[in-house]
């Protein structure tokens, strides 16, 4: 994290509307956001807030209805291929073939990033060591635990040593132990490689534990942003309050059932 | 050059996936062989109005049937990969988007041509007589039709949400096309109206051309028309498949 002041993501007026037979769905209504190099950004919001839609636009999968963005020095609309070269993306569904072996998934992902066969094998081994997958290389991915699968998916997202790693709800569905492990892993990746991490979550404790800065989204708009401590102080007047209380104050809505999720 | 290299990477992954699923591979290969072995003997005593044995008409028909069925259903596999997030994961890499389509299509061509070779060998054992250049030309027809249908099938699969919907569309379109192409019995047996309709089905010209080259006739009108129609169809399908693949909705 050489300098937090230099930005690696600049988003201006990003919108996305889906046209359905039942009428238009305004999933993202104008996001302006700058993310510093080496920052871990928590994009926090309830289900349906527009987190995944925003991420799919930033990773070139979905054309925006309006606005633009520059990511890792490449213009999202004019140079999507340049963006794809410099980012990693782990979707909520993960993108693993259950019948495919761990080694093959890793090597193929490196090949898809246009490494030679030799370089791809070498990089796969390196990623496996770094993410603790070396003993699992010959297993089909379908035989991995939830936590192991997530580690593999993140390893694949890191294949090209991306400047920015996008993670969509990385710990949804994981048990508490695996969640804590994953938080450590993400923090370690940033510390060792200076990777900027843009992660979405609907877990307040996750944003609190992991993010340098939290951006709260609701109904496709940014409704608040700041460090977790900022948000707590600003919206509840008490830095010792939980992010939960802050969220309640921001959106005027409370948690839905789950104690730690909005 | 880039496109070729990228297609190779995607092809490698797709081919390894195919070779891994041994059960699928085995039963996929077995089905057309059983069809030929169990249906073919019914025709050997009938006069179906072709020169040589009935195998001369049937083997090319079953070859094209195998290609039609095998090619048009490959989209189901893509639907599965889409729902797993595999397709999106690959789309966020520097690989040329078109290579994601062509790599898979090339795998299907290889698989269907391999199946076609087995089918021809069985045909030869049962009574088919065909010269080697004719067989090779026939396999070329198979490869072109396989590429066309596979690309179109993938394009379609990018726009349909569930396997049931996909199968319904493919069945509805495929069944009449297959019957009207005169694959199992030549259309010369059909009444005038049916023969008339079937002239609008491009695969009719493909299969007639394959029957000719299996007889060792290469330079006649039937072969020329068959080649022209098949190539035009392939160009159209590849173009449509590539467009549909690229314009995939959210
Ligand atoms: N492909 C789509 N077609 C139509 N509506 C969509 C599509 N994807 C998302 N939406 C709608 O956009 C809104 C935001 O969805 P999403 O970005 O998935 O939210 P989140 O990830 O925050 O839960 C929701 O109302 C959702 O129903
Ligand atoms: Mg989501």
């Amino acid at each position: 994290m050489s300098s937090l002041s230099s930005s690696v993501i600049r988003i201006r007026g990003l919108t996305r509307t889906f046209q359905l037979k039942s009428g238009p769905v305004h999933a993202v209504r104008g996001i302006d956001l700058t993310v510093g190099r080496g920052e871990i950004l928590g994009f926090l919001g309830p289900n349906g807030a527009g987190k995944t839609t925003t991420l799919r636009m930033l990773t070139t999968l979905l054309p925006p209805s309006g606005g633009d963005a520059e990511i890792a020095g490449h213009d999202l609309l004019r140079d999507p291929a340049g963006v794809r070269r410099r980012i990693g993306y782990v979707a909520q569904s993960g993108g693993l073939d259950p019948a495919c072996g761990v080694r093959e998934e890793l090597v193929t992902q490196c090949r898809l990033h246009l490494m030679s066969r030799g370089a791809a094998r070498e990089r796969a081994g390196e990623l496996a060591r770094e993410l603790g997958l070396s003993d699992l290389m010959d297993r089909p991915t379908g035989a991995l635990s939830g936590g192991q699968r997530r580690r593999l998916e993140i390893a694949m997202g890191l294949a090209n040593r991306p400047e920015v790693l996008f993670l969509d709800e990385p710990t949804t569905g994981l048990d508490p132990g695996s969640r804590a492990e994953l938080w450590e892993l993400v923090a370690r990746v940033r510390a060792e490689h200076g990777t900027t991490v843009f992660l979405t979550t609907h877990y307040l404790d996750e944003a609190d534990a992991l993010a340098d800065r939290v951006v709260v989204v609701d109904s496709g708009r940014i409704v608040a942003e700041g460090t977790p401590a900022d948000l707590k102080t600003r919206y509840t007047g008490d830095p010792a309050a939980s992010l939960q209380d802050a969220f309640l104050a921001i959106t005027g809505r409370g948690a839905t059932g789950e104690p730690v999720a909005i | 050059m880039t496109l070729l290299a990228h297609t190779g990477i995607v092809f490698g992954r797709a081919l390894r996936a195919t070779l891994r699923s041994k059960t699928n591979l085995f039963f996929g290969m077995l089905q057309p062989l059983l069809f030929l072995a169990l249906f073919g003997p019914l025709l050997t005593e009938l006069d179906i109005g072709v020169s040589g044995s009935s195998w001369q008409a049937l083997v090319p028909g079953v070859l094209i049937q195998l290609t039609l069925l095998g090619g048009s259903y490959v989209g189901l596999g893509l639907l599965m990969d889409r729902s797993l997030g595999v397709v999106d994961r690959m789309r966020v890499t520097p690989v040329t988007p078109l290579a994601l389509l062509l790599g898979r299509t090339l795998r299907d061509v290889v698989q269907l041509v391999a199946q076609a070779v087995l089918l021809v060998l069985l045909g030869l054992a049962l009574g088919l007589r065909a010269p080697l250049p004719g067989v090779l030309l026939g396999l070329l027809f198979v490869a072109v039709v396989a590429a066309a249908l596979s690309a179109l099938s993938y394009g379609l699969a990018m726009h349909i949400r569930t396997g049931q919907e996909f199968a319904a569309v493919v069945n509805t379109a495929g069944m009449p096309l297959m019957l009207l192409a005169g694959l199992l019995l030549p259309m010369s047996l059909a009444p005038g109206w049916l023969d008339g309709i079937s002239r609008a089905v491009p695969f009719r010209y493909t299969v007639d051309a394959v029957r000719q080259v299996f007889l060792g006739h290469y330079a006649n009108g039937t072969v020329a028309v068959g080649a022209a129609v098949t190539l035009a169809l392939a160009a159209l399908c590849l173009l449509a498949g590539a467009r549909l693949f690229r314009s995939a909705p959210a």
Side-chain angles (χ1 to χ4, degrees):
Chain A
M1 339 174 16
S2 48
S3 66
L4 273 177
S5 56
S6 78
S7 63
V8 67
I9 303 179
R10 279 187 292 278
I11 307 170
R12 283 170 300 257
L14 199 65
T15 65
R16 173 70 206 207
T17 303
F18 294 104
Q19 301 295 344
L20 299 185
K21 287 190 194 80
S22 51
V25 179
H26 302 283
V28 176
R29 296 167 190 260
I31 301 268
D32 292 283
L33 184 61
T34 301
V35 184
R37 194 169 288 281
E39 193 176 12
I40 298 183
L41 182 94
F43 204 62
L44 174 73
N47 284 326
K51 304 183 297 294
T52 298
T53 305
T54 303
L55 228 56
R56 287 174 59 78
M57 288 193 280
L58 295 179
T59 53
T60 77
L61 286 170
L62 187 65
S65 306
D68 53 35
E70 193 187 303
I71 296 163
H74 298 274
D75 189 280
L76 181 62
L77 303 178
R78 277 193 300 267
D79 184 15
V83 172
R84 288 196 284 267
R85 265 200 308 278
R86 298 307 310 135
I87 64 169
Y89 171 53
V90 181
Q92 201 177 339
S93 58
L96 296 180
D97 175 346
C100 191
V102 171
R103 182 192 317 276
E104 181 176 342
E105 284 284 35
L106 275 172
V107 173
T108 308
Q109 183 71 6
C110 294
R111 295 280 288 141
L112 292 169
H113 278 288
L114 310 182
M115 293 175 216
S116 69
R117 278 203 184 79
R121 263 196 302 275
E122 197 167 310
R123 178 70 182 139
E126 196 175 288
L127 286 163
R129 280 191 298 281
E130 192 175 334
L131 282 100
L133 298 163
S134 299
D135 295 336
L136 306 170
M137 289 296 256
D138 295 313
R139 276 202 208 164
T141 69
L144 301 179
S145 74
Q148 292 168 335
R149 204 174 309 143
R150 267 290 179 230
R151 284 213 309 272
L152 172 58
E153 289 156 7
I154 290 178
M156 288 163 65
L158 292 171
N160 56 331
R161 300 187 175 84
E163 284 175 58
V164 185
L165 179 63
F166 291 95
L167 303 174
D168 198 2
E169 309 233 3
T171 67
T172 298
L174 293 189
D175 63 76
S178 306
R179 293 183 69 208
E181 253 178 52
L182 206 100
W183 294 347
E184 265 172 53
L185 179 93
V186 172
R188 181 158 60 82
V189 165
R190 189 268 298 270
E192 286 175 10
H193 304 288
T195 313
T196 306
V197 181
F198 190 123
L199 72 95
T200 75
T201 182
H202 66 275
Y203 292 113
L204 297 155
D205 60 342
E206 183 153 297
D208 208 359
L210 197 52
D212 303 314
R213 187 157 60 109
V214 177
V215 168
V216 182
V217 284
D218 195 20
S219 307
R221 281 201 187 85
I222 294 179
V223 291
E225 77 171 274
T227 63
D230 269 353
L231 290 178
K232 291 174 201 169
T233 315
R234 207 173 336 143
Y235 291 94
T236 69
D238 174 10
S242 69
L243 203 50
Q244 177 93 343
D245 296 330
F247 188 84
L248 184 70
I250 293 165
T251 63
R253 282 188 284 111
T256 61
E258 277 183 272
V260 290
I262 355 173
Chain B
M1 198 55 230
T2 318
L3 180 62
L4 212 64
H6 293 193
T7 300
I9 296 170
V10 178
F11 168 71
R13 177 189 156 99
L15 188 66
R16 286 190 297 276
T18 298
L19 295 176
R20 212 167 23 235
S21 57
K22 301 262 179 333
T23 333
N24 266 352
L25 203 61
F26 178 73
F27 286 103
M29 292 268 181
L30 194 62
Q31 220 171 21
L33 296 180
L34 280 176
F35 188 92
L36 192 66
L38 302 181
F39 181 70
L42 289 177
L43 303 181
T44 50
E45 299 302 314
L46 296 176
D47 176 16
I48 56 172
V50 294
S51 55
S53 73
S54 60
W55 298 107
Q56 302 299 136
L58 184 64
V59 175
V62 177
L63 268 183
I64 299 302
Q65 174 177 275
L66 159 79
T67 316
L68 275 177
L69 282 175
S72 55
Y73 275 100
V74 296
L76 274 182
L78 184 75
L79 265 172
M80 185 94 78
D81 273 359
R82 272 183 71 201
S83 67
L84 290 167
V86 173
V87 177
D88 276 353
R89 191 244 299 168
M90 293 190 176
R91 283 167 75 201
V92 190
T93 66
V95 159
T96 312
L98 187 57
L100 295 176
L101 171 68
L102 294 184
R104 284 172 181 267
T105 293
L106 189 59
R107 181 268 315 266
D108 301 328
V109 170
V110 167
Q111 185 179 352
L112 284 166
V113 168
Q115 282 182 282
V117 168
L118 288 185
L119 201 67
V120 171
L121 289 176
L122 179 64
L124 289 170
L126 290 171
L128 172 75
R129 289 297 161 259
L132 185 60
V135 169
L136 293 179
L137 270 176
L139 292 176
L140 196 60
F141 274 100
V142 165
V144 173
V145 172
L149 287 171
S150 153
L152 192 61
S153 181
Y154 288 134
L156 193 64
M158 290 299 275
H159 290 260
I160 287 181
R161 279 189 193 283
T162 69
Q164 283 102 316
E165 280 177 87
F166 182 84
V169 171
V170 170
N171 274 334
T172 309
M175 195 263 291
L177 280 181
M178 216 146 61
L179 290 176
L180 286 170
L183 296 185
L184 301 184
L185 294 169
M187 270 296 153
S188 50
L189 296 176
W193 63 269
L194 190 61
D195 183 48
I197 300 178
S198 105
R199 284 177 196 280
V201 176
F203 304 113
R204 168 179 179 153
Y205 303 97
T206 312
V207 74
D208 280 346
V210 177
R211 284 178 181 137
Q212 287 294 309
V213 298
F214 273 25
L215 288 169
H217 309 151
Y218 308 124
N220 64 29
T222 310
V223 176
V225 169
V229 169
T230 306
L231 285 173
L233 180 78
L236 218 64
C237 287
L238 279 166
L239 222 62
R243 264 190 100 97
L244 287 168
F245 197 83
R246 200 181 41 215
S247 69

